[in-house]
Amino acid sequence: ERRSEAQLYFQMVEPIPEWEPDNEVWGVNFPRQYESYKKTLDTTFQSKYYGSVMIDYLERYPEMVVMWAGYAFSRDYNQGRGHYYSVKDVHNTLRTGVPQPATCWTCKSTDVPRLMNEMGPSEFYAHTWAEMGPEIQNPIGCQDCHDPNTMNLRITRPALAEAFERQGIDINDATRQEMRSLVCAQCHVEYYFGEDNYLIFPWDEGFSADEMEYYKDRVGHTDWVHALSRAPMLKAQHPDYELYKTGIHAQRDVSCADCHMPYKREGGIKFTDHHLRSPLDNIENSCMVCHRQSEATLQANVYDQQNRVSELRRIAERNLARVHIEAKHAWDAGANEEEMEDILQLIRHSQWRWDWVAAANAMGFHSSSEALRVLATSIQKAQEASIKLTSVFNRYGVEYPIEMPDLSTKEKAQEYIGLDMEKIREEKEEFLEKTLPQWLGSI
Amino acid sequence: ERRSEAQLYFQMVEPIPEWEPDNEVWGVNFPRQYESYKKTLDTTFQSKYYGSVMIDYLERYPEMVVMWAGYAFSRDYNQGRGHYYSVKDVHNTLRTGVPQPATCWTCKSTDVPRLMNEMGPSEFYAHTWAEMGPEIQNPIGCQDCHDPNTMNLRITRPALAEAFERQGIDINDATRQEMRSLVCAQCHVEYYFGEDNYLIFPWDEGFSADEMEYYKDRVGHTDWVHALSRAPMLKAQHPDYELYKTGIHAQRDVSCADCHMPYKREGGIKFTDHHLRSPLDNIENSCMVCHRQSEATLQANVYDQQNRVSELRRIAERNLARVHIEAKHAWDAGANEEEMEDILQLIRHSQWRWDWVAAANAMGFHSSSEALRVLATSIQKAQEASIKLTSVFNRYGVEYPIEMPDLSTKEKAQEYIGLDMEKIREEKEEFLEKTLPQWLGSI
Amino acid sequence: MKALKRLFRFLLPPRNWRFTVVILSGIFTGILFFVVYVSNAVSYLSDEPETCINCHVMYPYYASWDKGSHGRDATCADCHVPQDNFIRQYYVKATDGLAHATYFTFRWEPQVIQIKSRGKSVVQENCIRCHLDMVDMVQLVEVTGEIAEKDEGKLCWDCHRETPHGSVRSLSAAPHALVERLPSVMPAWLENLFFGESPSKTRTLPQNEN
Ligand SMILES: [Ca+2]
Ligand SMILES: [Ca+2]
């Protein structure tokens, strides 16, 4: 008889201390959520562009290496996987081979709210990545999204609350449905490091690519100067929330959790599936609640849109790699700052716009028409730069078109920009063998 | 009791002769449909980009004048309005000031099925526009879409049936739901004139912009040679059906009639609203049965997408006008065929792709992500041509950038390409005063 | 007669198996009755909407129907059971009833239940049955489930997407809707024996989550 299933229990077996970082402790009370959460360990699913498998982005899109010359991303960049791996992947990435601030930990661990509570956010950000290393033991988990007393959703990362505050919005006024996306917006958003590596979400002028570009120009922020073109570059990081906001699902109040954490029912108990992953691994529960089409049709709808976005992003990448190299040749031929100024500005904006789509997950599905619009303007700006560069070449007698290096693989591209990958890998290995065990054994 | 209203319905008061072109005769039997059809006379509604008002496209997008230099479209091009005006607008347009074939009448009148039945399609197409003028009396109407015996939907234009036949599809196998779009696809499609002005729909390689482009390259079709750039140009005409086919509504089997001819209720019966027009003039019946959002929300959804498409089309138009003028300067400086060949090919393809979206009605709403993808490739190709042109300028010592003429109004643009608009308008007036009354009084 | 005997003998298990087979058949028959009883498959024979919510997996559909415009005039059976003739009516009821009961008892129900093609035809017929006058003249009357299946026509609810269950549907959609609670099918002593003192007995309405 399954009738008694219909009862709901919300009983805390063991009260959870405030700032408890260990998921297992929470799991005692909420075994269903915990069991499903642990499934983010699984790395088998792969869709056409995403999934929880490891995907080496630089291998797949080698032009990126050139586009990030002089920046740590040209060493190593993988497609994200399950929340369970968040700390491990930061240890492993070659990007942490260069000195990084503790700010890098912000979105990676339930230990962060604990530390921030102890020392305050500014103090936390002011440390180095390595200094905080031994404190960071647990991956993303319950503490990041929940209040341990009420189990209500809760914002634990100050950057989000501050960004809304600057726009005059009190995040405590958010509705429950908004919270089902806002907890994700603590991390799945574009950010930059301000003074003393303070974490800032650049939303003061608005959420769109154009508005954030305007904001960054206004505050004069530059992430790095490009090693080839010398352009003052911007890096966009996973503006998932921002892109999603412009899409039809957000406009219809469909939240991140609706697709990535659909409700599940076991007997009479309804609970939220905490196996966060690609909805394509779970179309039936995720999409078919609202859409009556078959799994095959819905998957085809997603791929249709992703294929279009992918086509444009590939065009943008080829244009951008080319224009960086062309700019390098212009400098080499003797071009001066004045001649290059607006060219470099175009490159900055073009790459920002490409990145705004490429760094966002889902290959534009979260809002395909906005993604395509932004990519089109990226293409336009890089080519505008190329057009202007030909005038410079003309002036300095450089033959056009410039011959392009072979960028068909990650290795070739890394060699072209002069990265000593062997050394970088050795250093990482040393860290993993010597330092890391100390960190992990530290608590 | 109002139930009996429903029974009256399918009784023919007066049987309708085969090939009857006069809508009034049909209307005796179907007063509801006829009354609503007559409302296409109304020209008051205007939305952000469309509506039934007269919109002078050349006034709104003056770059088009340059883009069509050497082609009749640079004289006059209006946004389409109600079916009731179809014949009148062909009389009035300055495009019929140049000699046109009878093929132009194909999509404009219920007299066409009658004439084609009498003389056969080839014979009909082989006449000139003026020769057939006196025969064309009735605007688009019942005969174009209906079988007068059964009132079933029926294809009356051979070009559509032939296009499907070449792909091995018998249009008589079309389902009722398909017919609710296919009757529109008799006219709202891309076409070109083959040998002896035979009407052909270029779908042999597929429906997409890329596939039709490939087809036209393969058969070596060119609509005209551009007066400035000398590029072998293609004109795209209202590929409404083709663009729609790539969109989510078509994929969900939503037909043209579902949005443009929604059911209407009068008393106890439901009938098809024959007041064909912008659905934004009728959101309640057109969209709101399927979508429960408010009119304001749905209109905003449409505008959101249209604004994105409009942004890219404006970029494409500016690039295209520029590149035609640049190519002219290259020829003037002494460039040769060989140097220009791939540049002209890029211009051909770029403008085709822009036109494929711009000539389609609805500013991309029928499939916004495909529209944006195609526009992005248009932008890319025109700029690629500009980049290549700078090399040519370099070679011939032409200073770059080329100075652009003032194209801010239709008049200025027409003057720039050397059109004698006064003369063209005078000729039209003479036709309207002298010839037309004879045609109209002829039957 | 001879033939019948032969058939009987053919069906009869070998002597040394007979005991086992009799016991097993008994168990299976018992289970079948248990399934039919516990799952309330018999309730399918009634037309009362309340019988559908014998199964809590039907709550969301009951709730959306109950709150919609059809809650007043049309019962579940008005839409989901053929109303043209008695035999077909009970055939569909019996087969659907047994199928759903089996799914339910063995917990095979998916998170998102979707109507099957036979069910579609039945519902479509019923929409037209009630609204014939409304749709007579627009040829929608010709659309059957089979036609729609082949994409040759639109089902009523392809356009009327919110009628009657709303467009967002799953077992989780309204699991704790305020629907009528039915008394347990087990006598109290038996339930206590199996499950101990169950709090469920004392409640007549399921609680809302938060
Ligand atoms: Ca992933
Ligand atoms: Ca119009």
Side-chain angles (χ1 to χ4, degrees):
Chain A
E1 207 208 348
R2 294 177 64 191
R3 227 166 250 214
S4 57
E5 284 180 351
Q7 320 311 321
L8 208 246
Y9 349 78
F10 195 86
Q11 295 159 355
M12 287 264 188
V13 180
E14 269 186 50
I16 305 163
E18 182 65 306
W19 313 123
E20 172 60 59
D22 188 350
N23 293 307
E24 230 180 298
V25 174
W26 296 61
V28 174
N29 293 297
F30 305 104
R32 284 186 181 81
Q33 286 80 3
Y34 181 58
E35 288 307 318
S36 58
Y37 160 76
K38 276 201 298 188
K39 291 199 194 134
T40 62
L41 253 173
D42 182 73
T43 55
T44 48
F45 179 73
Q46 174 153 35
S47 59
K48 182 157 182 192
Y49 299 102
Y50 293 88
S52 34
V53 293
M54 265 279 189
I55 301 170
D56 185 337
Y57 268 156
L58 300 181
E59 195 85 46
R60 192 178 272 188
Y61 312 111
E63 293 87 353
M64 283 181 174
V65 173
V66 171
M67 291 159 68
W68 286 322
Y71 202 48
F73 270 88
S74 59
R75 304 168 157 213
D76 193 7
Y77 178 35
N78 295 311
Q79 210 282 312
R81 48 184 178 156
H83 282 166
Y84 215 98
Y85 292 96
S86 57
V87 172
K88 191 171 178 183
D89 285 346
V90 176
H91 291 149
N92 287 345
T93 182
L94 302 177
R95 298 207 298 280
T96 44
V98 304
Q100 298 279 15
T103 321
C104 284
W105 290 120
T106 313
C107 301
K108 301 295 186 287
S109 167
T110 47
D111 290 302
V112 173
R114 176 179 65 79
L115 292 165
M116 286 194 173
N117 182 53
E118 283 166 17
M119 55 175 79
S122 318
E123 183 68 5
F124 175 81
Y125 298 140
H127 283 80
T128 67
W129 177 76
E131 282 163 0
M132 282 293 124
E135 295 286 343
I136 305 291
Q137 300 283 335
N138 298 284
I140 295 166
C142 324
Q143 177 63 264
D144 290 322
C145 304
H146 288 286
D147 178 330
N149 296 310
T150 59
M151 286 312 285
N152 282 342
L153 294 179
R154 171 170 85 168
I155 300 302
T156 54
R157 300 305 194 271
L160 183 69
E162 290 159 6
F164 279 109
E165 210 180 285
R166 287 197 303 278
Q167 299 182 32
I169 300 168
D170 183 348
I171 201 154
N172 295 311
D173 294 343
T175 64
R176 179 167 166 264
Q177 184 62 10
E178 285 167 350
M179 285 300 280
R180 289 166 59 83
S181 292
L182 286 175
V183 288
C184 318
Q186 301 183 91
C187 304
H188 288 266
V189 293
E190 159 62 4
Y191 67 84
Y192 75 103
F193 297 163
E195 235 168 282
D196 299 323
N197 293 314
Y198 202 93
L199 186 65
I200 303 175
F201 298 167
W203 298 340
D204 295 12
E205 304 286 345
F207 285 121
S208 73
D210 315 54
E211 287 162 329
M212 284 202 245
E213 176 187 285
Y214 175 78
Y215 168 86
K216 293 197 174 184
D217 286 353
R218 183 168 69 68
V219 302
H221 179 74
T222 287
D223 282 305
W224 89 103
V225 173
H226 198 276
L228 303 173
S229 67
R230 303 190 206 164
M233 301 300 292
L234 295 171
K235 176 80 190 74
Q237 283 99 346
H238 33 73
D240 294 329
Y241 179 71
E242 296 93 324
L243 180 55
Y244 146 88
K245 268 300 213 188
T246 65
I248 190 76
H249 283 104
Q251 281 162 19
R252 293 284 188 271
D253 262 341
V254 181
S255 69
C256 313
D258 286 333
C259 294
H260 289 281
M261 307 179 76
Y263 290 118
K264 212 174 148 164
R265 191 156 143 155
E266 273 178 12
I269 312 279
K270 166 185 180 172
F271 71 100
T272 300
D273 188 347
H274 281 61
H275 181 192
L276 279 145
R277 67 190 133 149
S278 163
L280 297 186
D281 191 19
N282 190 23
I283 294 178
E284 192 181 336
N285 293 352
S286 173
C287 319
M288 282 162 72
V289 170
C290 300
H291 298 281
R292 309 264 105 190
Q293 287 69 34
S294 69
E295 292 194 36
T297 304
L298 288 162
Q299 180 179 303
N301 294 149
V302 174
Y303 286 168
D304 258 13
Q305 303 199 8
Q306 290 184 331
N307 289 342
R308 291 186 181 122
V309 174
S310 174
E311 181 184 334
L312 293 198
R313 82 170 268 181
R314 294 302 290 145
I315 294 177
E317 279 155 16
R318 271 179 250 114
N319 284 342
L320 274 161
R322 176 177 77 181
V323 76
H324 280 298
I325 294 171
E326 286 174 354
K328 177 187 167 355
H329 281 259
W331 288 117
D332 291 351
N336 60 42
E337 304 269 341
E338 206 189 318
E339 288 170 310
M340 294 297 282
E341 195 183 336
D342 50 345
I343 294 170
L344 300 187
Q345 195 68 4
L346 281 165
I347 296 179
R348 169 185 164 100
H349 291 166
S350 171
Q351 184 151 327
W352 158 258
R353 282 157 186 256
W354 158 82
D355 213 359
W356 196 79
V357 178
N361 291 278
M363 195 64 92
F365 173 78
H366 291 141
S367 178
S368 63
S369 67
E370 180 67 358
L372 290 160
R373 181 190 72 83
V374 171
L375 279 175
T377 62
S378 166
I379 292 173
Q380 192 244 341
K381 283 174 199 295
Q383 284 187 302
E384 210 56 50
S386 272
I387 292 172
K388 284 184 193 287
L389 273 164
T390 54
S391 292
V392 177
F393 292 143
N394 191 353
R395 216 165 300 138
Y396 292 92
V398 180
E399 192 149 331
Y400 194 82
I402 305 290
E403 211 190 313
M404 287 292 133
D406 179 357
L407 302 177
S408 57
T409 67
K410 163 178 155 181
E411 285 68 34
K412 286 180 183 158
Q414 284 177 331
E415 209 189 299
Y416 172 73
I417 66 164
L419 276 183
D420 184 351
M421 289 309 293
E422 212 156 311
K423 182 157 156 265
I424 291 172
R425 272 198 207 93
E426 266 165 29
E427 284 168 8
K428 177 54 72 175
E429 233 124 83
E430 203 188 302
F431 162 81
L432 292 176
E433 271 161 34
K434 302 228 173 97
T435 318
L436 187 59
Q438 289 169 20
W439 288 8
L440 294 182
S442 74
I443 292 187
Chain B
E1 216 208 341
R2 296 174 64 188
R3 222 163 247 222
S4 53
E5 282 184 354
Q7 317 305 326
L8 293 178
Y9 205 69
F10 252 107
Q11 292 163 4
M12 288 265 189
V13 180
E14 269 187 48
I16 306 163
E18 183 63 307
W19 312 123
E20 172 59 58
D22 189 349
N23 293 309
E24 231 179 299
V25 175
W26 295 61
V28 173
N29 293 296
F30 305 104
R32 284 186 183 81
Q33 286 79 5
Y34 181 59
E35 288 306 318
S36 58
Y37 161 77
K38 276 202 297 190
K39 292 201 192 131
T40 62
L41 253 172
D42 182 67
T43 55
T44 48
F45 180 72
Q46 173 153 34
S47 59
K48 183 156 181 192
Y49 299 101
Y50 294 87
S52 33
V53 292
M54 265 278 192
I55 300 170
D56 185 336
Y57 267 155
L58 300 181
E59 193 85 46
R60 193 179 272 187
Y61 311 111
E63 293 86 353
M64 283 181 173
V65 173
V66 171
M67 290 158 67
W68 286 322
Y71 201 48
F73 270 88
S74 59
R75 304 169 158 215
D76 193 8
Y77 178 35
N78 295 311
Q79 209 282 312
R81 48 183 179 155
H83 282 167
Y84 215 100
Y85 293 95
S86 58
V87 172
K88 189 169 183 187
D89 285 346
V90 177
H91 291 150
N92 287 346
T93 182
L94 301 178
R95 297 207 298 282
T96 44
V98 303
Q100 299 280 13
T103 321
C104 283
W105 290 120
T106 312
C107 301
K108 302 293 186 286
S109 166
T110 47
D111 290 302
V112 173
R114 176 179 64 79
L115 292 164
M116 285 194 175
N117 182 54
E118 283 166 18
M119 54 174 82
S122 317
E123 182 68 7
F124 175 81
Y125 298 140
H127 282 79
T128 66
W129 176 77
E131 281 163 1
M132 283 293 125
E135 294 286 343
I136 305 291
Q137 299 284 336
N138 298 285
I140 296 164
C142 324
Q143 177 64 266
D144 290 321
C145 303
H146 288 284
D147 178 331
N149 296 311
T150 59
M151 286 312 284
N152 281 342
L153 294 179
R154 172 171 86 168
I155 301 302
T156 53
R157 301 304 194 272
L160 183 69
E162 290 159 5
F164 278 108
E165 211 180 285
R166 287 197 302 278
Q167 299 181 32
I169 299 168
D170 183 349
I171 202 153
N172 295 312
D173 295 342
T175 66
R176 178 173 165 262
Q177 184 62 16
E178 284 167 349
M179 285 300 279
R180 288 166 60 82
S181 293
L182 286 175
V183 288
C184 319
Q186 301 184 94
C187 304
H188 288 266
V189 293
E190 159 61 4
Y191 67 86
Y192 75 104
F193 297 163
E195 236 169 281
D196 298 324
N197 292 316
Y198 201 94
L199 187 65
I200 303 176
F201 299 167
W203 298 341
D204 294 12
E205 304 286 346
F207 285 120
S208 72
D210 315 55
E211 287 162 329
M212 286 201 243
E213 176 188 284
Y214 176 78
Y215 168 86
K216 293 198 172 181
D217 286 352
R218 182 168 69 68
V219 303
H221 179 76
T222 288
D223 282 305
W224 90 105
V225 173
H226 198 276
L228 303 174
S229 67
R230 305 191 206 161
M233 301 301 291
L234 295 172
K235 176 80 189 76
Q237 283 98 346
H238 34 73
D240 294 328
Y241 179 71
E242 296 94 324
L243 180 56
Y244 147 87
K245 268 299 212 189
T246 66
I248 190 76
H249 283 104
Q251 280 161 21
R252 294 284 189 269
D253 262 340
V254 181
S255 68
C256 312
D258 288 340
C259 295
H260 289 282
M261 306 180 75
Y263 295 123
K264 200 178 158 163
R265 219 161 40 121
E266 267 179 18
I269 62 168
K270 207 168 156 173
F271 68 100
T272 301
D273 188 347
H274 280 60
H275 181 192
L276 278 144
R277 68 192 132 147
S278 163
L280 297 186
D281 191 19
N282 189 23
I283 294 178
E284 195 178 336
N285 282 10
S286 176
C287 321
M288 279 165 71
V289 173
C290 295
H291 298 281
R292 279 291 161 99
Q293 285 69 36
S294 69
E295 290 195 32
T297 303
L298 288 161
Q299 180 178 302
N301 294 149
V302 174
Y303 287 168
D304 257 13
Q305 303 199 8
Q306 290 183 331
N307 289 343
R308 291 186 182 121
V309 175
S310 173
E311 181 184 332
L312 293 197
R313 83 170 267 183
R314 294 302 290 147
I315 294 176
E317 279 155 15
R318 272 179 249 116
N319 284 342
L320 275 161
R322 177 178 75 180
V323 77
H324 280 298
I325 294 171
E326 286 175 353
K328 177 187 169 344
H329 280 258
W331 288 118
D332 291 351
N336 61 42
E337 302 269 342
E338 206 188 317
E339 288 171 309
M340 294 297 283
E341 195 183 336
D342 50 345
I343 293 170
L344 299 187
Q345 195 69 2
L346 282 165
I347 296 178
R348 168 183 165 100
H349 290 166
S350 171
Q351 185 152 327
W352 158 256
R353 283 158 185 253
W354 158 82
D355 214 359
W356 197 79
V357 177
N361 291 279
M363 194 63 90
F365 174 77
H366 291 141
S367 178
S368 63
S369 67
E370 181 67 358
L372 290 160
R373 181 191 72 83
V374 171
L375 279 175
T377 62
S378 166
I379 292 173
Q380 193 243 341
K381 283 174 200 293
Q383 285 188 300
E384 210 56 50
S386 272
I387 292 172
K388 282 182 194 289
L389 274 164
T390 53
S391 292
V392 178
F393 293 143
N394 190 354
R395 217 166 299 138
Y396 291 92
V398 180
E399 191 146 333
Y400 193 81
I402 305 290
E403 211 190 314
M404 288 291 133
D406 180 357
L407 302 177
S408 58
T409 67
K410 164 178 155 179
E411 284 68 36
K412 286 181 183 157
Q414 283 175 333
E415 209 190 298
Y416 172 73
I417 66 163
L419 275 182
D420 184 351
M421 289 310 294
E422 212 156 312
K423 180 156 158 270
I424 292 171
R425 273 201 206 92
E426 265 165 26
E427 284 168 10
K428 176 57 69 175
E429 232 124 83
E430 202 187 304
F431 162 81
L432 292 177
E433 272 162 31
K434 303 228 172 97
T435 319
L436 188 60
Q438 289 168 20
W439 288 7
L440 294 182
S442 73
I443 291 190
Chain C
M1 211 48 208
K2 242 191 179 158
L4 257 184
K5 259 189 189 152
R6 213 178 299 139
L7 181 68
F8 183 69
R9 218 170 278 137
F10 174 75
L11 287 174
L12 214 60
R15 187 154 310 215
N16 52 342
W17 279 60
R18 260 177 217 172
F19 178 74
T20 332
V21 169
V22 166
I23 295 295
L24 280 180
S25 317
I27 291 175
F28 277 122
T29 317
I31 289 177
L32 186 65
F33 272 111
F34 181 76
V35 166
V36 169
Y37 176 67
V38 162
S39 65
N40 259 309
V42 182
S43 62
Y44 254 88
L45 301 180
S46 150
D47 270 353
E48 288 304 309
E50 285 68 33
T51 63
C52 298
I53 48 165
N54 260 320
C55 302
H56 58 75
V57 298
M58 290 290 114
Y59 287 4
Y61 306 95
Y62 182 92
S64 50
W65 161 79
D66 188 38
K67 301 283 180 287
S69 58
H70 287 83
R72 260 168 302 158
D73 305 289
T75 64
C76 308
D78 277 334
C79 284
H80 287 290
V81 178
Q83 303 291 341
D84 50 350
N85 79 63
F86 179 82
I87 296 175
R88 201 168 148 236
Q89 183 173 357
Y90 279 89
Y91 174 70
V92 167
K93 277 195 179 195
T95 49
D96 269 359
L98 276 176
H100 296 182
T102 309
Y103 272 81
F104 184 71
T105 306
F106 291 103
R107 304 181 179 224
W108 289 341
E109 77 275 3
Q111 294 288 321
V112 179
I113 296 176
Q114 286 205 312
I115 194 162
K116 309 265 182 309
S117 55
R118 183 178 73 178
K120 282 184 194 165
S121 293
V122 170
V123 176
Q124 178 76 3
E125 273 170 32
N126 283 321
C127 305
I128 294 170
R129 178 173 61 86
C130 289
H131 295 288
L132 181 66
D133 293 342
M134 179 68 71
V135 297
D136 199 17
M137 50 294 316
V138 285
Q139 297 173 36
L140 286 169
V141 275
E142 295 160 14
V143 181
T144 61
E146 291 83 62
I147 285 179
E149 196 94 337
K150 286 186 270 161
D151 277 348
E152 292 177 6
K154 288 192 117 48
L155 292 163
C156 307
W157 58 93
D158 280 343
C159 292
H160 299 280
R161 295 199 295 173
E162 304 278 342
T163 309
H165 296 299
S167 56
V168 180
R169 269 166 282 155
S170 89
L171 288 194
S172 307
H176 304 293
L178 296 170
V179 296
E180 263 138 282
R181 283 285 291 175
L182 306 156
S184 175
V185 292
M186 284 192 184
W189 64 268
L190 183 61
E191 202 170 320
N192 291 345
L193 191 71
F194 274 100
F195 304 106
E197 284 292 334
S198 159
S200 71
K201 274 183 301 169
T202 54
R203 268 197 242 140
T204 48
L205 287 175
Q207 288 186 333
N208 259 334
E209 251 167 297
N210 295 319

